[in-house]
Amino acid sequence: MTATEFEHFLGDLGHGSLCVLDRNIAKSDYVPLDLSVTNNQLKTVDVSSAETLGTYINRHIAIKKGKIAFGGYLEKRGIYNRSDYFNDQNPETERTIHLGLDVWIEAETPIYAPLAGEVHSFQNNTNFGDYGPTIILKHHIQNVTFYTLYGHLSVASIENLQIGQPFQKGEKLATLGDAAVNGDYAPHLHFQIIKDLQNFSGDYPGVSSKKDLEFYKQNCPDPNLLLQL
């Protein structure tokens, strides 16, 4: 299946009202959020501080009269410059381009499986600025196998999990973690689609360098093809 065919396949699945949060939340309650380096408002915000960035995001949601902020696919962000895990000071190889879709909402918010699948792997990715507790689901739908990744979860989300454990569409999968466990971010879900997991387990790059971007754009298409926010 080509990358374009995979995108069309995901878009068709997305017509089925897929959700990672409570499906009773109206789509009008989701407001777009720009955390890219081109957002001039962020020049006066200390994005390295989870608390300060969280205050900015909550204010943005209130101004837009929403309940949840979302966005970030292929955004070039300055927030990763705080962490040696992403930043090697080389503009070609430093990782600053976000590959998932972020959903910003308070810690302990339940996260639901948008599609039926099984647990491929999970782990607590504890590098500074990393995912923290992470779950990867494997999906096999219409003879197509692919994966979805859920990052920045609570520790409790992975404590009693089993490899191969099935989850039905709409079943509670996890809860969100706070800054103490989620890589030091304001609470949010990192949701990412992965076509080829490349032998990763419990982890997969969620931020790309400029050099590797073309590969990741093909392998990790826009998660909003499924969620259609």
Side-chain angles (χ1 to χ4, degrees):
M1 178 177 281
T2 67
T4 300
E5 288 170 338
F6 187 46
E7 288 183 353
H8 289 158
F9 165 77
L10 295 171
D12 288 342
L13 290 180
H15 292 146
S17 298
L18 307 183
C19 303
V20 291
L21 299 183
D22 186 334
R23 64 172 50 256
N24 293 314
I25 301 172
K27 288 194 175 182
S28 58
D29 288 327
Y30 290 79
V31 297
L33 175 69
D34 178 4
L35 293 180
S36 72
V37 293
T38 59
N39 181 353
N40 290 326
Q41 290 183 356
L42 293 180
K43 292 179 179 178
T44 60
V45 177
D46 179 9
V47 296
S48 69
S49 164
E51 183 178 359
T52 302
L53 183 59
T55 299
Y56 170 81
I57 292 169
N58 289 337
R59 182 170 178 271
H60 173 81
I61 293 171
I63 289 171
K64 298 294 184 180
K65 295 181 169 55
K67 295 179 180 177
I68 302 145
F70 76 96
Y73 181 64
L74 299 188
E75 275 185 353
K76 182 176 181 181
R77 293 175 168 177
I79 189 172
Y80 305 118
N81 294 333
R82 65 185 184 149
S83 173
D84 292 339
Y85 183 62
F86 297 102
N87 187 10
D88 64 4
Q89 306 299 325
N90 182 325
E92 289 297 316
T93 57
E94 68 176 357
R95 295 193 292 142
T96 59
I97 303 168
H98 189 249
L99 298 172
L101 182 142
D102 285 336
V103 180
W104 302 85
I105 192 170
E106 61 265 18
E108 300 301 325
T109 296
I111 302 301
Y112 299 89
L115 294 163
E118 65 178 45
V119 176
H120 170 274
S121 51
F122 58 91
Q123 71 180 23
N124 194 351
N125 297 290
T126 57
N127 292 297
F128 178 61
D130 208 337
Y131 291 128
T134 308
I135 298 172
I136 297 176
L137 293 183
K138 180 179 181 179
H139 309 277
H140 187 74
I141 300 171
Q142 299 172 25
N143 295 316
V144 179
T145 299
F146 64 101
Y147 305 85
T148 51
L149 181 149
Y150 308 79
H152 309 301
L153 305 175
S154 66
V155 173
S157 298
I158 61 173
E159 282 181 336
N160 298 306
L161 213 54
Q162 301 288 330
I163 301 298
Q165 182 174 337
F167 282 88
Q168 298 305 310
K169 176 183 174 180
E171 185 177 353
K172 182 180 174 182
L173 173 68
T175 56
L176 286 186
D178 60 18
V181 300
N182 75 356
D184 192 45
Y185 293 100
H188 71 289
L189 173 70
H190 174 101
F191 176 61
Q192 186 168 334
I193 301 169
I194 305 163
K195 185 180 179 187
D196 177 4
L197 198 55
Q198 300 178 279
N199 296 317
F200 277 85
S201 179
D203 190 17
Y204 190 83
V207 183
S208 174
S209 65
K210 182 179 178 182
K211 177 175 70 71
D212 295 329
L213 182 59
E214 284 308 309
F215 167 77
Y216 284 117
K217 282 169 67 175
Q218 302 289 315
N219 200 44
C220 300
D222 187 351
N224 212 25
L225 290 166
L226 286 183
L227 301 186
Q228 300 192 7
L229 296 175

